[in-house]
Amino acid sequence: MAKRENVTSREYKVMLRARLFDGDEQRMHSAIDAFWTDLTAALAAMDIPCEGSFTQVKARRLIRFFDTDEHRINADQYIVREREDLDTGEREVTLKFRHPDRYVAADRRMDPADARDAKTKFEEDVKPPFVSVYSFSTTQPLQSGSVLGQVQDVADLFPGLADDLSELPTDAPLLLVRDFVGREIVLEGASLLLGKRDILSECALVVWYDEGETDTTPVVVEFSFKYGDDAKDYRGSVARDAYAVLGMLQNQMTDWVDPNPVTKTAFVYG
């Protein structure tokens, strides 16, 4: 029997209208400030306070997804993602499995071949209208010069993958999905107070550009807020507040929220 994994984080994700964040970085920040002002006002009416603002740039990095020509890894609910820090050049690779059934998501081996500096997470992602997906992932550093050229290269980093992809030859070539490289800016510093103001829910705003284009309009913009507990101690008052925030975003923030949302991964896979 697979080890029972605790849901250590619940993250609510809402896609925003990317065209509203068009322009240089100064204009992007102005749009983010306007969004946060509107959201803060709407939540104040619900007695859910907001703190801070999106002034902290957590990361600037390039994002790449790898899969076979027929996207057979993603067809099995996995993704292989590489992040490259634009300031330091450091790279990391993530293997993630996602499934709407918590126990299906947990029933796999996600440990890395080298546990040093690796991080494994089991989380619940929630997107509108209220759809839960459980995400089991491990991220580890990718050494300079390492190439994700075939399935075996990923299986060497995450040995359990070969068992789940038993029908996929390990020498199958890996390609950059849709030849897309995303340039990502992650902004933090804002938060909500949920559950009668007892739980700090960290917010993030993720902006993606197509690195291969000169267009200043982002391809996707995602707002998220999350709360977590390693012991999975989730009180009803916190969950009710989070549910109310998600509903308010969909029903009252329609000028900002994308009516035809496409998640970041779905955008990459087209």
Side-chain angles (χ1 to χ4, degrees):
M1 178 179 292
K3 174 180 175 288
R4 180 183 175 91
E5 297 290 340
N6 281 347
V7 177
T8 58
S9 174
R10 305 189 76 209
E11 185 167 14
Y12 297 71
K13 300 179 177 181
V14 177
M15 308 311 295
L16 305 181
R17 297 176 186 260
R19 61 176 177 78
L20 298 178
F21 300 85
D22 181 30
D24 59 20
E25 193 157 323
Q26 183 177 354
R27 291 179 61 187
M28 178 198 72
H29 278 283
S30 295
I32 291 171
D33 289 344
F35 164 74
W36 184 239
T37 296
D38 288 352
L39 180 58
T40 298
L43 291 178
M46 300 166 58
D47 196 28
I48 297 178
C50 299
E51 293 184 345
S53 59
F54 291 102
T55 55
Q56 301 174 14
V57 178
K58 178 187 178 184
R60 297 178 187 271
R61 53 200 180 194
L62 298 180
I63 308 294
R64 301 177 179 92
F65 286 69
F66 293 92
D67 208 331
T68 66
D69 184 43
E70 297 178 339
H71 298 168
R72 290 177 63 183
I73 292 177
N74 189 244
D76 282 334
Q77 313 294 330
Y78 282 97
I79 66 166
V80 176
R81 181 191 66 212
E82 176 193 312
R83 287 171 169 165
E84 178 184 351
D85 189 289
L86 282 168
D87 295 324
T88 66
E90 293 178 347
R91 300 159 64 208
E92 64 180 24
V93 60
T94 297
L95 178 69
K96 180 180 291 189
F97 182 86
R98 295 185 299 185
H99 200 278
D101 190 310
R102 169 182 172 173
Y103 299 99
V104 173
D107 186 27
R108 59 209 62 258
R109 180 184 166 200
M110 295 295 291
D111 52 302
D114 185 349
R116 291 175 300 175
D117 300 320
K119 183 180 295 185
T120 298
K121 298 186 293 185
F122 190 75
E123 304 168 295
E124 180 184 6
D125 291 338
V126 181
K127 61 183 181 179
F130 189 92
V131 179
S132 286
V133 176
Y134 292 89
S135 170
F136 200 2
S137 67
T138 296
T139 299
Q140 61 180 306
L142 194 59
Q143 299 303 314
S144 177
S146 297
V147 176
L148 301 177
Q150 57 184 24
V151 172
Q152 185 63 58
D153 295 327
V154 182
D156 287 343
L157 296 168
F158 305 97
L161 181 65
D163 294 336
D164 270 4
L165 302 180
S166 57
E167 297 181 3
L168 180 60
T170 56
D171 61 354
L174 287 183
L175 305 172
L176 183 63
V177 176
R178 287 181 58 230
D179 289 325
F180 174 77
V181 178
R183 177 166 52 88
E184 178 183 75
I185 300 175
V186 182
L187 296 156
E188 294 184 341
S191 58
L192 315 178
L193 291 173
L194 305 177
K196 306 302 181 184
R197 310 183 181 210
D198 286 340
I199 299 298
L200 189 72
S201 174
E202 297 177 343
C203 300
L205 211 143
V206 180
V207 184
W208 271 17
Y209 299 90
D210 187 336
E211 178 67 3
E213 301 290 340
T214 58
D215 192 351
T216 58
T217 303
V219 291
V220 288
V221 178
E222 176 193 87
F223 167 73
S224 67
F225 62 97
K226 66 181 179 180
Y227 61 94
D229 188 287
D230 289 345
K232 212 187 75 169
D233 180 17
Y234 296 119
R235 286 177 287 149
S237 61
V238 180
R240 282 192 292 273
D241 276 356
Y243 184 86
V245 173
L246 184 67
M248 185 279 295
L249 282 160
Q250 297 173 73
N251 298 322
Q252 298 181 39
M253 300 282 288
T254 53
D255 287 347
W256 289 101
V257 174
D258 193 332
N260 301 299
V262 177
T263 66
K264 300 192 300 294
T265 302
F267 172 82
V268 173
Y269 274 90

